[in-house]
Amino acid sequence: MDLTAHTFQRRPLSIKLWPPSQSTRIMLVERMTKNLTTPSVLSRKYGLLSKEEAEEDSKRIEESAFAIANQNYEKEPDGDGSSAVQVYATQSSKLMLEVIKRGPRTKVDGGAALREKAIAASENFFDISGGRRAFIEAEEAEELLKPLKAPGNSYRKICFSNRSFGLDAARVAEPFLVSVKDKLTEVDLSDFVAGRPEAEALEVMNIFSSALEGCNLRCLDLSNNALGEKGVRAFGALLKSQNNLEELYLMNDGISEEAALAVCELLPSTEKLRILHFHNNMTGDEGALAISEIVKHSPALEDFRCSSTRVGSDGGVSLCEALSTCSRIKKLDLRDNMFGVEAGVALSKAIPSFADLTEVYFSYLNLEDEGTEALAHALKESAPSLEVLEMAGNDITAKAGAALAACIAAKQFLTKLNLSENELKDEGAILIGKVLEEGHGQLIEVDMSTNSIRRVGARVLAQAVVQKPGFKMLNINANFISEEGLDEVKGIFKSSPYMLGPLDENDPEGEDLDEEADEEGAGNEDELEAKLKDLEIKHEE
């Protein structure tokens, strides 16, 4: 929807935002289905939906949101549709959250056992995060927390997220927490001091930390609290008492160099840590060195996320060297850092250690061709079960196309490939499209948008995926495909138009800014047509 809005801003007199195209509606259903089936903090609380149930719910949500938004549009048919788009998005989000909090439905067959399990989960989980995000006062806290002192309660998990505790409310909560801490295994204190002055927030953290000190946690979430070093140290008593953590979430917490050092200092053991998420912090290179120490001492690590943390080349090299000691890594997300070529090469040296790797997110790392080729070669020779490969926005040109194509050819379990916002052009697109033709029966999504692709490359990509049994979306938007090329692509997807993403940002008259390449004829479609006849990917022995 954002892409349509962007187009509207450029051409306000000729574009209406409503109704959305069928492909846009289908894409929304797919995104909601993915959200509903992806493990998250919320799914740990409410349960994870099966793919079938998520697809059913997503279709119902989209249809309901569309109907409500359409009614809104009919009241102002002469408008541009922007208010209807807003209603559509808001209703979709609202209904999806309701489904997440509802959790998986119990089935009629075998329903008794499932209902018992659901009841047991409810009895084990105490959650006050529902409703609007708001301050919580002492009187309300007293009433809300009463179940924690109920005789015979069996709470193992608590979630205080989305409610902002002041000092008075924290003092009320303290004895309740002390009463259950010996039974707790999962604690979610994400976003629980929002809007409070720093001094008050730190004191609240100290109270909660002291109350929970000594509990034997499996999972701890302190995200979205703008901790910084002071906040990390305010949780010192709790952190220092944790020897069996399996999951730790410190996302969007202002984790600076000093804060990262404090985390490293306070955690007594990370030997059992399986999931470590540091997304969206201001860690930098020096902070990455501290995180590297944590990683080195986390031999069980399976899921590591250190995205959007301002880590540069030196910090990237340190992280990658530390990761090479973690042989159980399955999911690795390092997106949106300033690694550069050197760190990219260091990462390629760590890749062979990850035999069970299934998902890699290496977008926006400034890898360029050299770093990309090193990673492509490493992935080709390892990670046999790789399902997700993302390397968007890395200044990758057609020079690295052959290495990427050889890597992709070897990854027959791929479900998602994202190489958007690069400069692969037709040469790279053709190489990749040709290898996708063979096998890749589980492929669901390919994103090659914003790659200066023209008619031939677009056609090869379309032909490569259109017959895949479970394929859902090819995104080749924001390229330089001619009008004839667009017609060809649409013709290829004639029987399944929902599988082709929007093309509203395509520029048929787009010009290649690389003058030398133009002079050498690199963009010449006739030459590319000829190349297609006997194109082969050379696999390294």
Side-chain angles (χ1 to χ4, degrees):
M1 304 307 297
D2 291 340
L3 295 177
T4 311
H6 181 64
T7 304
F8 172 76
Q9 290 168 2
R10 291 183 298 172
R11 295 181 287 177
L13 298 178
S14 60
I15 298 295
K16 278 202 171 187
L17 299 179
W18 193 263
S21 67
Q22 186 63 23
S23 63
T24 298
R25 295 183 65 183
I26 290 169
M27 186 159 50
L28 177 62
V29 170
E30 290 168 354
R31 286 177 179 172
M32 288 192 291
T33 300
K34 182 177 180 180
N35 285 336
L36 292 173
T37 55
T38 301
S40 66
V41 173
L42 289 175
S43 71
R44 292 203 315 273
K45 303 173 189 174
Y46 303 107
L48 194 63
L49 273 65
S50 67
K51 184 178 180 182
E52 294 74 17
E53 187 175 357
E55 286 179 345
E56 180 184 334
D57 282 322
S58 296
K59 289 176 182 176
R60 178 180 56 79
I61 289 169
E62 192 281 330
E63 288 171 0
S64 176
F66 179 84
I68 293 170
N70 206 45
Q71 289 175 2
N72 176 279
Y73 179 69
E74 288 173 355
K75 294 176 182 177
E76 48 177 32
D78 295 330
D80 59 29
S82 58
S83 61
V85 171
Q86 184 63 38
V87 171
Y88 185 49
T90 302
Q91 286 295 319
S92 297
S93 298
K94 176 185 173 183
L95 294 172
M96 186 168 66
L97 186 59
E98 288 178 4
V99 167
I100 290 172
K101 290 191 174 182
R102 180 207 70 203
R105 293 191 187 94
T106 56
K107 296 182 179 178
V108 176
D109 49 338
L114 288 172
R115 280 193 294 274
E116 286 179 10
K117 186 176 179 182
I119 291 170
S122 176
E123 290 174 348
N124 290 335
F125 180 43
F126 182 76
D127 182 11
I128 62 169
S129 66
R132 63 187 181 87
R133 190 169 183 246
F135 280 18
I136 182 170
E137 304 302 334
E139 188 175 322
E140 184 184 2
E142 184 78 43
E143 186 63 29
L144 276 176
L145 303 180
K146 275 183 180 179
L148 291 177
K149 280 193 175 180
N153 81 72
S154 57
Y155 292 120
R156 299 287 183 269
K157 303 187 291 182
I158 60 171
C159 176
F160 286 7
S161 179
N162 202 43
R163 306 303 295 273
S164 179
F165 282 77
L167 204 49
D168 292 340
R171 288 174 179 144
V172 168
E174 185 175 14
F176 287 95
L177 294 172
V178 170
S179 71
V180 295
K181 75 174 183 180
D182 291 338
K183 297 181 290 185
L184 293 178
T185 59
E186 297 185 28
V187 170
D188 184 348
L189 297 178
S190 60
D191 192 25
F192 86 121
V193 289
R196 302 290 180 177
E198 181 183 287
E200 182 180 20
L202 291 172
E203 187 58 32
V204 169
M205 292 175 191
N206 269 303
I207 291 171
F208 273 74
S209 176
S210 297
L212 293 169
E213 180 182 5
C215 58
N216 186 18
L217 296 182
R218 185 189 72 81
C219 175
L220 177 61
D221 191 343
L222 299 176
S223 301
N224 301 311
N225 284 310
L227 295 175
E229 182 188 7
K230 292 179 182 178
V232 171
R233 295 197 179 280
F235 275 111
L238 174 58
L239 291 171
K240 284 191 288 187
S241 65
Q242 300 308 305
N243 288 289
N244 296 301
L245 275 180
E246 295 179 24
E247 301 179 27
L248 178 61
Y249 301 88
L250 295 168
M251 299 184 287
N252 193 31
D253 267 334
I255 301 295
S256 60
E257 170 193 343
E258 295 78 13
L261 286 166
V263 173
C264 184
E265 170 196 327
L266 293 169
L267 283 174
S269 173
T270 56
E271 286 188 4
K272 296 182 179 181
L273 202 62
R274 295 184 303 104
I275 301 176
L276 179 59
H277 284 195
F278 271 104
H279 169 69
N280 196 29
N281 285 297
M282 49 185 186
T283 312
D285 279 354
E286 295 301 322
L289 299 180
I291 295 173
S292 298
E293 288 302 310
I294 298 174
V295 170
K296 284 178 186 176
H297 296 91
S298 304
L301 199 61
E302 297 176 3
D303 180 347
F304 180 60
R305 186 179 187 188
C306 194
S307 49
S308 303
T309 49
R310 307 184 189 180
V311 176
S313 181
D314 292 344
V317 170
S318 177
L319 273 177
C320 296
E321 290 174 350
L323 282 166
S324 66
T325 65
C326 303
S327 61
R328 299 184 188 179
I329 288 285
K330 296 179 180 178
K331 182 177 179 180
L332 185 56
D333 186 348
L334 301 171
R335 280 176 287 193
D336 191 25
N337 283 299
M338 299 170 283
F339 274 27
V341 173
E342 185 180 356
V345 172
L347 180 56
S348 73
K349 294 175 181 177
I351 292 292
S353 303
F354 312 142
D356 299 323
L357 195 62
T358 58
E359 299 180 35
V360 295
Y361 301 90
F362 297 158
S363 297
Y364 309 107
L365 291 177
N366 299 332
L367 295 174
E368 301 179 13
D369 287 337
E370 184 179 346
T372 299
E373 288 178 320
L375 281 167
H377 290 312
L379 287 168
K380 175 178 175 289
E381 301 300 332
S382 55
S385 302
L386 193 67
E387 297 174 9
V388 177
L389 174 58
E390 289 201 8
M391 298 181 75
N394 275 304
D395 295 321
I396 306 171
T397 73
K399 179 178 179 293
L404 274 175
C407 169
I408 293 165
K411 303 300 136 189
Q412 288 295 315
F413 294 103
L414 270 185
T415 60
K416 181 178 180 181
L417 174 65
N418 182 359
L419 296 171
S420 62
E421 297 185 56
N422 285 300
E423 285 293 327
L424 286 163
K425 302 183 180 178
D426 267 13
E427 293 92 329
I430 291 168
L431 289 167
I432 290 163
K434 296 302 285 185
V435 298
L436 288 177
E437 287 180 356
E438 302 296 325
H440 293 93
Q442 298 181 33
L443 195 62
I444 293 173
E445 181 180 342
V446 172
D447 190 344
M448 292 285 287
S449 59
T450 320
N451 261 291
S452 302
I453 296 170
R454 296 182 183 274
R455 176 180 179 177
V456 180
R459 186 176 71 240
V460 172
L461 288 169
Q463 291 171 335
V465 301
V466 70
Q467 298 298 330
K468 304 292 182 191
F471 194 77
K472 293 183 177 180
M473 182 59 61
L474 172 65
N475 185 0
I476 49 173
N477 204 9
N479 282 301
F480 300 154
I481 308 166
S482 66
E483 296 294 346
E484 294 82 0
L486 290 179
D487 289 341
E488 285 180 349
V489 169
K490 291 175 182 177
I492 291 169
F493 285 97
K494 184 177 181 180
S495 299
S496 48
Y498 52 87
M499 288 164 46
L500 181 61
L503 294 166
D504 56 311
E505 290 199 340
N506 179 65
D507 183 1
E509 299 178 358
E511 294 184 2
D512 191 344
L513 298 180
D514 186 344
E515 294 182 359
E516 289 185 10
D518 282 346
E519 289 172 2
E520 293 170 5
N524 188 291
E525 290 190 0
D526 293 334
E527 289 184 17
L528 290 170
E529 290 273 12
K531 290 178 185 178
L532 278 177
K533 294 180 181 178
D534 12 72
L535 178 68
E536 292 181 2
I537 299 297
K538 294 182 180 178
H539 298 270
E540 294 179 4
E541 297 297 330

